[in-house]
Amino acid sequence: MVERALFGYRVLVVEDEFMLAEDLSQELADAGAIVIGPAQSLERAVELLSTSGGLDAAVLDVNLHGEPVYPVADTLVERHIPFVFTTGYDRSVLPVRFKSIGCCAKPVDMTKLLEALQSAIEISRRA
């Protein structure tokens, strides 16, 4: 990973597994990101999405204590904010509308996740 590659980017973290949320937040901070969250529930994610001002990107766990994160993902798509999913399930569980979104399997390889997030941001900037 290139250190400080996400310098100044405001990144929303939505993850219900405490240790993974903490690890992910630390990795993002080490890459220079300003971490918003982590949100460990759909309700908290929606709250952060509506109150956090401008976001540059997000990392979303697909399943939050049995609730799909798709309402947050739909809002991010509407706002043209790039994001990456994480999941313990097969990528095939994603709805068709999200097939082009990056997805990292759990256990998460942090380097690959950061690369996927950087790629999503770069693609979004070119669009």
Side-chain angles (χ1 to χ4, degrees), residues 10-23:
R10 295 173 47 87
V11 180
L12 174 65
V13 174
V14 180
E15 172 58 59
D16 64 353
E17 294 179 36
F18 178 78
M19 291 306 296
L20 181 53
E22 290 299 310
D23 289 347

Side-chain angles (χ1 to χ4, degrees), residues 54-106:
L55 290 175
D56 297 302
V59 177
L60 307 179
D61 181 5
V62 170
N63 184 334
L64 300 171
H65 302 291
E67 288 187 273
V69 75
Y70 304 137
V72 173
D74 286 329
T75 300
L76 293 171
V77 169
E78 289 170 11
R79 295 181 185 177
H80 306 286
I81 298 171
F83 63 96
V84 173
F85 286 118
T86 62
T87 185
Y89 302 101
D90 186 80
R91 179 182 182 85
S92 65
V93 302
L94 295 176
V96 172
R97 68 186 184 274
F98 298 126
K99 292 298 181 184
S100 66
I101 303 297
C103 185
C104 294
K106 291 181 181 180

